């Protein structure tokens, strides 16, 4: 199970849970990964992920916004692609 959300900071949070509902430590080392927003026009804007999908290659695609739209893609191990 993958979960994504925003914060009052400049990053979004992605979590992966195992079949028992616990954080999956094989995902980013802890099961939780922060993805930094990159809004050049407004560096103080907070980042919010509001959509998540898995592509055909098993990569995680996040859609969100700060003061503009954001799109991130992560590998299955949580590293940025």
């Amino acid at each position: 199970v993958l979960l994504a959300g925003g914060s009052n900071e400049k990053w979004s949070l992605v979590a992966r849970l195992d079949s028992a509902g616990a954080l999956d430590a094989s995902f980013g080392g802890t099961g939780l990964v922060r993805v930094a927003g990159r809004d050049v026009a407004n560096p103080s804007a907070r980042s919010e992920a509001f959509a998540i999908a898995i592509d055909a290659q098993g990569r995680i695609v996040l859609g969100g916004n700060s003061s503009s739209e954001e799109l991130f893609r992560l590998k299955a191990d949580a590293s940025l692609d």
Side-chain angles (χ1 to χ4, degrees):
V1 174
L2 288 168
L3 305 168
S7 71
N8 287 326
E9 300 295 330
K10 298 173 192 170
W11 47 267
S12 294
L13 184 67
V14 183
R16 186 166 71 190
L17 306 178
D18 63 19
S19 60
L23 289 171
D24 181 353
S26 69
F27 185 72
T30 63
L32 295 171
V33 175
R34 291 192 304 182
V35 180
R38 293 183 175 90
D39 189 338
V40 175
N42 185 3
S44 64
R46 62 182 218 172
S47 179
E48 294 180 295
F50 56 80
I52 190 167
I54 307 294
D55 73 9
Q57 288 79 35
R59 297 172 297 199
I60 301 159
V61 181
L62 297 172
N65 69 358
S66 52
S67 62
S68 61
E69 290 76 24
E70 297 178 324
L71 187 63
F72 298 98
R73 190 168 65 191
L74 305 173
K75 297 176 185 173
D77 66 357
S79 61
L80 283 172
D81 186 25

